[in-house]
Amino acid sequence: MQPRSLDDALAVRAQRPDAVVVAGGTGVLVELNRGLDVPALLDLSRVAELRESTTVDDGAAVRLGATTTYTDVLEHHAAALPGLAAAARTVASRQVRNRATLAGALVLGDPSGDALAALGAADATVEVAGPHGIRHVVASAFVTGPGACDLGPDELVTALIVPVADGPTAYAKAGARNAMARAVCAVAIELHPVARTATVCVVGAAPTAIRPGTAEALVADAWDELDDRVLRRFGALVAEAVDPLPDARGSSGYRRHAAGVLATRALDRAWDAL
């Protein structure tokens, strides 16, 4: 099924909630190769409304259509969304980035997703449409567990609303190798000099993304005296906030340690850029 408009796509979604939604295909095709039973495919790649990106809120945010790819972010939105662009650069290969969509990564429910970390730190929201209208979900809360997300069987993600960065950003990631690897743990941070605050999001260190509120509060309280002591305390607070699960790529202890180290590095880099 290949609808050409958003209205048609939502109608098909309502009629066939069992259909697997596909756009770039980089995630779904992997599952198909693993033997995923697919009664039908709902291909959104020809829905023009989902490819559109515009500025909103008087230029304070960018509305990225759901089928925006990582390459789109790098080529058209890196200046406005440097945190998201930094995370996008670490995703797979150029060929995959040309096809893979930001919304697809969220809908697959990957709690270690690079985009999830950057969107969480940016305080982005996910726009969801369905039979009852449009609703918005905080991006950091959209993935509700491994393979699960806050999306009903008759709903589609239509866009991501990402605030334009108003200060330095940083992204730090640990994986099995330096490229072509999923994050064992990753930390995204955005500094907001006018508000004198920081927003932080950690992925890969819990069944969901983590916003470490105590660590964010520390940065606000110590804004005028950020030194090595504060950096170490910040890393420790992030490590305390996570709830890692072990798997073949890393133990719980390693992921917790990595979260603290990566958080310290990310804050140090962002602060140096002020």
Side-chain angles (χ1 to χ4, degrees), residues 83-84 87 106 110-124 138-143 169-174 183 185-192 198-216 219 234 238-239 241-242 258-260 262-264 266-267:
L84 185 57
L106 298 181
D110 181 4
S112 62
D114 299 289
L116 177 61
L119 292 168
D123 269 336
V138 175
S140 58
F142 186 75
V143 174
T169 68
Y171 185 63
K173 172 180 176 178
C185 180
V187 179
I189 183 168
E190 296 205 5
L191 297 182
H192 311 285
T199 45
V200 185
C201 189
V202 187
V203 299
T208 63
I210 296 291
R211 285 287 302 271
T214 54
E216 293 178 344
V219 176
F234 177 79
V238 170
V242 300
L262 294 172
T264 302
L267 178 57

Side-chain angles (χ1 to χ4, degrees), residues 77-168:
H77 306 291
L81 309 175
L84 185 57
R89 290 187 189 97
T90 73
V91 174
S93 65
R94 183 184 298 271
Q95 294 90 333
V96 171
R97 292 193 295 271
N98 288 343
R99 293 286 305 173
T101 66
L102 298 176
L106 298 181
V107 171
L108 286 173
D110 181 4
S112 62
D114 299 289
L116 177 61
L119 292 168
D123 269 336
T125 57
V126 182
E127 181 184 285
V128 175
H132 305 294
I134 294 175
R135 63 188 180 93
H136 293 87
V137 183
V138 175
S140 58
F142 186 75
V143 174
T144 56
C149 67
D150 186 1
L151 189 69
D154 54 0
E155 292 181 317
L156 293 172
V157 172
T158 49
L160 304 170
I161 315 298
V162 190
V164 171
D166 59 355

Side-chain angles (χ1 to χ4, degrees), residues 3-270:
R4 300 300 181 96
S5 71
L6 180 56
D7 286 343
D8 287 346
L10 289 169
V12 173
R13 181 67 164 158
Q15 295 166 3
R16 293 296 306 270
D18 60 330
V20 174
V21 178
V22 62
T26 57
V28 171
L29 291 177
V30 171
E31 297 303 317
L32 287 173
N33 288 335
R34 291 175 176 171
L36 176 69
D37 183 21
V38 178
L41 286 174
L42 173 53
D43 180 6
L44 301 180
S45 62
R46 299 189 181 187
V47 180
E49 296 104 307
L50 299 180
R51 294 195 300 270
E52 296 173 353
S53 296
T54 58
T55 56
V56 294
D57 297 336
D58 294 325
V62 180
R63 183 184 183 275
L64 301 173
T67 56
T68 297
T69 66
Y70 290 98
T71 296
D72 291 332
V73 171
L74 292 170
E75 292 184 350
H76 304 296
H77 306 291
L81 309 175
L84 185 57
R89 290 187 189 97
T90 73
V91 174
S93 65
R94 183 184 298 271
Q95 294 90 333
V96 171
R97 292 193 295 271
N98 288 343
R99 293 286 305 173
T101 66
L102 298 176
L106 298 181
V107 171
L108 286 173
D110 181 4
S112 62
D114 299 289
L116 177 61
L119 292 168
D123 269 336
T125 57
V126 182
E127 181 184 285
V128 175
H132 305 294
I134 294 175
R135 63 188 180 93
H136 293 87
V137 183
V138 175
S140 58
F142 186 75
V143 174
T144 56
C149 67
D150 186 1
L151 189 69
D154 54 0
E155 292 181 317
L156 293 172
V157 172
T158 49
L160 304 170
I161 315 298
V162 190
V164 171
D166 59 355
T169 68
Y171 185 63
K173 172 180 176 178
R177 54 184 184 267
N178 288 332
M180 297 288 292
R182 290 176 61 204
V184 173
C185 180
V187 179
I189 183 168
E190 296 205 5
L191 297 182
H192 311 285
V194 174
R196 298 163 64 89
T197 60
T199 45
V200 185
C201 189
V202 187
V203 299
T208 63
I210 296 291
R211 285 287 302 271
T214 54
E216 293 178 344
L218 174 69
V219 176
D221 292 340
W223 190 267
D224 291 322
E225 50 182 353
L226 189 66
D227 53 21
D228 289 344
R229 177 187 59 83
V230 175
L231 283 172
R232 289 193 297 271
R233 180 58 180 157
F234 177 79
L237 289 173
V238 170
E240 291 173 7
V242 300
D243 183 23
L245 298 174
D247 64 13
R249 296 179 297 131
S251 66
S252 296
Y254 174 75
R255 290 174 187 269
R256 187 180 300 278
H257 173 73
V261 171
L262 294 172
T264 302
R265 291 177 183 173
L267 178 57
D268 193 27
R269 293 172 189 167

